[in-house]
Amino acid sequence: MNMETHWIHQLKNNSHIGILVVDKNRKNLFVNDALCKMFGYDRETLLGTDAEIFHVNHESFLRFAELAFNAVLKGEALGIDYQFKHSDGSLFWVHIAGDPIQETNEILWSMVDITKRVEALEREKRLLKELEETNYNTKQYLEAIDKIGIGLFVVDENYNTRYMNKTMISWFGNQIGKVCYSGVAGLSDPCPYCKLHEVIDKNQKVTYEPTTPNGESFEIVATSIKNSDGTVSKMEFIRNVTAQKEVQRRLQKEKERYNYQAHHDALTGLPNRILFTDRLSQAMKKAKRADSKVALFFIDLDHFKEINDSLGHDIGDEILQVVTKRLHKSIRKEDTLARLGGDEFTVILENLSDTKDISIVADNILNTLSQSIDIDNHKLYVSSSIGISVFPDDGDTTKDLLKFADSAMYKAKDEGRNNYQFYNESMTELAFERVLMEASLREALQKEEFVVYYQPQMDAVEDKIVGMEALVRWKHPKMGIISPAKFIPLAESTGLIVEIDRFVMKTAMKQIGQWYRAGLKPGILAMNLAVKQLQKEDFIEVFQSIMSDTGSKAEWLELEVTESQIMKNPQKAIKILQEISKIGIELAVDDFGTGYSSLAYLKKFPINKLKIDQTFVKDLPKDEEDVGIVKAVIALAKALNLKIIAEGVETKEQKDFLINNQCHNIQGYFYSRPVEADELEKKFLRTSD
Ligand code: C2E
Ligand code: CA
Ligand code: CA
């Protein structure tokens, strides 16, 4: 972190408190003007490491530094008085306090010159010592004490005031002869310090610090003394420490101000990285005890840099402030919102019992942030990308959680921005499911969020395209591209698959017609047929009307039905498949080998092709069992006079094995992933050979 630019520059000139920032290797990083003045050296000299010139005794300073550093880093607050050497050779005392800057292990030392106070104290100490050793009413000592402004007060065993010196009288008025402190200005009766006197009765020395209601503070050092007649009196030395208290108060206030600046972002007033890290580690500790979860959001505005560069930093700043307000509204009071810098924000969600809540909050944030911002007659749109990590599931250090949330955020950017991603993929899936349920596929259909991809089917011997399979994709505005494996099961259970498949058929058949009419040779278009379609009375009718609308010929088309779908209700399936076959459309059995086909049925079905499922292809040619199955399926296809194709072919070994075993048609990543129509056309239909 760049200290200079962050907050410390504010402390440079306007302070009488010396500030020194030291890194973890004890190298001085920063000093302010007040400190330079205090030591009488310029900044360069002070920043130079190990300058012995500042120390009365360098050896003992090193020992002190060792202790001080460790104490502060351990979080044990350190406030200590220490003596240094000024450039003019004089010695001076400072009160030093150290505050760790957690994230960087840097320490901020603040120093106040307390030489005057220390000297006064030392003088007093010397005097008191001498007084203790002589008789209290020695005239010179009393005068001396008055001169340095110490109050002297003596009470007898019955708490009657026997003596007050001039200083004491000037503070409290003359009380001689009265009961201790009774009637003393501002102090209540009975004496609140009688307890103190009881202690003194036991012949102990005590220090006590009363503050009178009028705001003056006194420090009382009391001791008992033996009178010459054998009786005991209590003697109190009283110092007015009001001024000193005032300095302390100011010091405390300054420190709080530094503390605030050190922990908050100046533009938005949000906690900065340092405070954020602290809050996160507190939240983790709490969650550990309560056995609950903490979610960390890493929020990055999309294209913020462009806005900043084109519209200027003032507008950029305004946007950040609006974003801050909106973020505050999307989270609960107890959650922490922080700004790490630039356009990066973080949110800590605590007390999570259900991880579903996380995606609700993420949705809210995306929604509110994507609403337009009106600034200076500009209507600005700023979306955001969110990465989410969860404690303790993903990691158990602040560093890891932040790193993981950050990398999930990049995933969100990759998915097309304005979306959120969990670091843990299964969580993303859970969230998808929720969104799928709630946002409903129907809406996606209306909004035309589905697109059709095509995967080529190749003659592997000739390296030529013989057809393609149409595969649907959901281009979700927030989640990016969603695979059909994620939404087809839901679409099937809600019946929406019927409409989705009609859309796919319409789109794909239109496309294949265009290709044919353009004189290209796309081969056969294979389309997946959900079982729900087979159950629709009007399927054939609808299919034929799509054919005529798009001008598709039957010989261009093929429908894929999975083995398990047919086997669910073979009697019914057989009927409709026969109708399909009648209009000249070929039928392929998809995922062949994964269901429980009865050979008796297989023979009766009007099918033309078997599609070897990718699970058997995956471990070819190493897995002996798979080798056996694939060879058997190929033999079966031959015996039943069916065509054969293998799907999921990714490697040359798999391809070679299949060719060598007389399965010449293959589909898989080896040739191409499913791609959009343009790409398929460019790569497979427009190649001249
Ligand atoms: P499927 O019919 O078995 O489709 C083949 C799946 O394998 C596709 O997944 C494809 O992307 C993938 N694949 C192709 N080659 C390779 C390869 O070399 N390696 C690997 N690992 N995978 C490969 P996708 O597109 O995710 O589709 C999943 C399933 O969703 C399809 O399985 C199909 O059952 C269903 N589906 C897809 N589109 C539609 C559709 O428009 N209508 C219906 N009813 N179902 C569809
Ligand atoms: Ca298929
Ligand atoms: Ca398949």
Side-chain angles (χ1 to χ4, degrees):
M1 185 170 75
N2 189 342
M3 279 291 177
E4 286 280 339
T5 56
H6 225 76
W7 47 271
I8 265 224
H9 69 273
Q10 299 183 40
L11 314 181
K12 265 184 176 166
N13 307 312
N14 57 2
S15 172
H16 64 280
I17 296 177
I19 299 285
L20 166 68
V21 178
V22 182
D23 75 6
K24 59 173 187 284
N25 302 317
R26 301 201 191 156
K27 198 168 144 18
N28 298 338
L29 295 179
F30 172 82
V31 292
N32 70 349
D33 289 348
L35 197 80
C36 295
K37 219 160 119 197
M38 213 177 273
F39 280 78
Y41 288 101
D42 59 17
R43 183 166 274 122
E44 286 62 44
T45 315
L46 281 175
L47 285 176
T49 42
D50 268 5
E52 295 187 23
I53 43 176
F54 316 132
H55 310 136
V56 180
N57 177 330
H58 193 59
E59 296 292 296
S60 87
F61 174 78
L62 291 181
R63 276 197 302 277
F64 159 72
E66 181 73 29
L67 282 170
F69 263 92
N70 289 338
V72 171
L73 285 178
K74 265 191 250 154
E76 295 160 8
L78 182 91
I80 197 169
D81 297 343
Y82 200 81
Q83 199 177 27
F84 285 102
K85 200 156 61 177
H86 191 269
S87 66
D88 65 12
S90 65
L91 301 182
F92 64 101
W93 284 90
V94 291
H95 181 80
I96 308 179
D99 292 289
I101 301 169
Q102 264 127 353
E103 191 188 58
T104 52
N105 271 342
E106 290 160 359
I107 295 179
L108 183 140
W109 298 102
S110 49
M111 303 185 200
V112 204
D113 191 325
I114 51 160
T115 310
K116 284 215 178 79
R117 199 178 95 203
V118 171
E119 281 171 0
L121 264 171
E122 301 249 295
R123 269 205 308 277
E124 287 162 20
K125 253 195 237 155
R126 273 200 308 275
L127 258 169
L128 292 179
K129 194 152 181 286
E130 284 173 44
L131 269 171
E132 261 175 49
E133 287 160 1
T134 30
N135 200 327
Y136 70 90
N137 56 10
T138 305
K139 205 171 162 244
Q140 298 133 277
Y141 284 118
L142 294 182
E143 277 171 8
I145 284 172
D146 251 337
K147 254 188 216 143
I148 59 169
I150 288 188
L152 192 59
F153 184 78
V154 180
V155 280
D156 66 16
E157 288 153 315
N158 301 317
Y159 304 128
N160 283 321
T161 308
R162 287 280 161 210
Y163 178 79
M164 292 172 96
N165 71 350
K166 282 194 202 116
T167 308
M168 190 65 185
I169 290 170
S170 76
W171 288 335
F172 293 100
N174 194 336
Q175 306 290 323
I176 294 172
K178 294 186 189 159
V179 171
C180 162
Y181 287 121
S182 67
V184 163
L187 290 183
S188 58
D189 191 359
C191 166
Y193 308 120
C194 280
K195 277 222 171 69
L196 180 72
H197 291 91
E198 277 161 27
V199 181
I200 300 163
D201 283 341
K202 290 178 192 126
N203 224 349
Q204 290 167 326
K205 236 199 288 181
V206 244
T207 309
Y208 199 70
E209 288 193 17
T211 303
T212 61
N214 62 16
E216 295 206 288
S217 300
F218 297 92
E219 188 179 86
I220 300 178
V221 180
T223 185
S224 62
I225 45 168
K226 230 182 200 134
N227 299 318
S228 43
D229 62 1
T231 58
V232 178
S233 289
K234 292 102 207 168
M235 182 162 68
E236 297 179 358
F237 296 91
I238 299 161
R239 289 193 304 125
N240 189 326
V241 292
T242 311
Q244 189 184 319
K245 277 274 145 75
E246 176 60 21
V247 169
Q248 271 176 11
R249 204 183 51 79
R250 267 185 13 227
L251 181 74
Q252 184 59 31
K253 241 175 91 182
E254 289 274 289
K255 259 181 135 177
E256 277 163 14
R257 198 165 64 89
Y258 294 163
N259 217 26
Y260 185 85
Q261 286 172 347
H263 292 100
H264 290 83
D265 165 46
L267 176 68
T268 60
L270 292 178
N272 65 7
R273 187 182 286 265
I274 298 166
L275 185 55
F276 155 76
T277 311
D278 189 49
R279 295 263 176 93
L280 181 58
S281 83
Q282 298 299 332
M284 284 159 57
K285 273 185 210 146
K286 252 196 274 166
K288 208 176 217 163
R289 280 197 300 271
D291 202 17
S292 63
K293 288 179 193 292
V294 177
L296 171 60
F297 285 24
F298 196 110
I299 306 167
D300 190 284
L301 304 183
D302 298 331
H303 305 298
F304 181 72
K305 202 179 161 302
E306 280 99 308
I307 293 179
N308 220 13
D309 290 348
S310 59
L311 298 178
H313 288 250
D314 288 347
I315 293 204
D317 283 357
E318 271 188 68
I319 291 174
L320 291 175
Q321 280 160 340
V322 173
V323 164
T324 302
K325 266 193 212 128
R326 291 186 180 178
L327 284 173
H328 260 309
K329 276 195 198 138
S330 338
I331 60 176
R332 301 166 304 176
K333 261 218 181 74
E334 62 260 43
D335 301 326
T336 297
L337 170 65
R339 178 173 173 228
L340 299 194
D343 60 341
E344 293 174 349
F345 294 85
T346 51
V347 170
I348 304 168
L349 296 184
E350 292 188 61
N351 297 322
L352 293 167
S353 44
D354 194 337
T355 42
K356 262 191 197 155
D357 297 344
I358 303 174
S359 35
I360 293 175
V361 177
D363 265 343
N364 280 344
I365 292 178
L366 289 177
N367 282 336
T368 45
L369 288 193
S370 59
Q371 271 149 35
S372 70
I373 300 177
D374 294 314
I375 293 176
D376 269 7
N377 297 326
H378 292 284
K379 234 187 187 14
L380 300 171
Y381 290 88
V382 186
S383 60
S384 58
S385 301
I386 307 178
I388 306 171
S389 62
V390 179
F391 170 87
D393 311 51
D394 297 337
D396 54 9
T397 64
T398 55
K399 233 179 159 174
D400 277 355
L401 285 174
L402 191 62
K403 192 172 75 192
F404 295 154
D406 186 39
S407 78
M409 185 275 290
Y410 278 103
K411 218 164 41 171
K413 294 256 182 215
D414 282 348
E415 294 284 345
R417 299 164 204 268
N418 195 27
N419 75 98
Y420 64 88
Q421 295 286 327
F422 283 88
Y423 176 69
N424 182 322
E425 309 228 343
S426 60
M427 289 245 203
T428 306
E429 272 162 37
L430 267 178
F432 277 148
E433 260 144 47
R434 195 188 69 81
V435 170
L436 292 174
M437 301 304 268
E438 288 183 6
S440 110
L441 292 161
R442 199 178 300 276
E443 210 180 276
L445 259 170
Q446 276 162 5
K447 290 188 184 160
E448 299 180 28
E449 288 172 3
F450 292 102
V451 286
V452 181
Y453 277 39
Y454 303 87
Q455 187 176 34
Q457 298 179 336
M458 306 292 290
D459 179 332
V461 180
E462 305 276 325
D463 267 346
K464 256 168 73 180
I465 188 166
V466 292
M468 66 192 68
E469 179 176 3
L471 292 156
V472 70
R473 297 288 181 266
W474 182 1
K475 261 197 184 158
H476 192 283
K478 284 183 191 157
M479 304 289 181
I481 296 282
I482 304 177
S483 135
K486 286 195 181 117
F487 63 86
I488 294 264
L490 185 74
E492 281 185 328
S493 68
T494 57
L496 266 168
I497 188 69
V498 174
E499 276 184 71
I500 294 175
D501 273 356
R502 284 179 188 177
F503 162 80
V504 173
M505 285 167 183
K506 239 184 257 172
T507 312
M509 280 152 76
K510 199 167 139 200
Q511 183 62 62
I512 198 99
Q514 278 171 11
W515 279 329
Y516 272 110
R517 281 187 288 277
L520 303 173
K521 294 199 177 92
I524 294 281
L525 169 67
M527 290 166 291
N528 292 285
L529 189 55
V531 70
K532 279 259 159 64
Q533 293 281 18
L534 292 182
Q535 292 163 356
K536 282 265 162 198
E537 301 291 317
D538 62 349
F539 174 71
I540 294 288
E541 219 175 291
V542 170
F543 191 79
Q544 279 182 310
S545 83
I546 297 176
M547 277 177 69
S548 69
D549 285 354
T550 57
S552 308
K553 294 188 183 154
E555 64 260 34
W556 300 342
L557 309 175
E558 179 178 272
L559 288 171
E560 293 187 2
V561 197
T562 64
E563 190 186 0
S564 52
Q565 277 172 345
I566 316 175
M567 289 306 156
K568 252 182 222 155
N569 192 343
Q571 304 284 6
K572 206 168 169 189
I574 208 164
K575 260 205 193 131
I576 188 139
L577 295 182
Q578 266 161 356
E579 284 186 61
I580 292 171
S581 184
K582 245 187 252 158
I583 56 174
I585 313 273
E586 300 224 314
L587 283 160
V589 181
D590 204 354
D591 300 349
F592 191 77
T594 59
Y596 301 92
S597 295
S598 140
L599 288 181
Y601 276 124
L602 214 51
K603 225 181 82 188
K604 275 190 211 146
F605 286 145
I607 52 176
N608 311 84
K609 191 187 272 184
L610 296 184
K611 216 172 167 181
I612 305 174
D613 190 65
Q614 48 183 289
T615 50
F616 306 116
V617 175
K618 204 172 87 204
D619 295 323
L620 287 184
K622 280 197 200 74
D623 189 303
E624 281 177 31
E625 222 174 295
D626 287 344
V627 166
I629 291 170
V630 169
K631 282 184 173 170
V633 173
I634 295 169
L636 179 69
K638 276 244 155 64
L640 293 173
N641 202 17
L642 299 172
K643 296 180 203 157
I644 185 103
I645 184 168
E647 72 178 1
V649 179
E650 296 185 357
T651 66
K652 176 143 191 337
E653 289 73 42
Q654 291 165 349
K655 175 187 143 184
D656 290 344
F657 173 89
L658 289 160
I659 291 177
N660 290 336
N661 286 280
Q662 304 304 311
C663 173
H664 292 183
N665 286 355
I666 67 176
Q667 175 184 344
Y669 295 172
F670 177 79
Y671 282 106
S672 172
R673 287 176 180 262
V675 293
E676 290 190 74
D678 287 356
E679 194 175 336
L680 183 119
E681 179 177 324
K682 234 189 302 168
K683 289 201 177 135
F684 294 95
L685 304 181
R686 296 252 178 224
T687 47
S688 46
D689 52 316

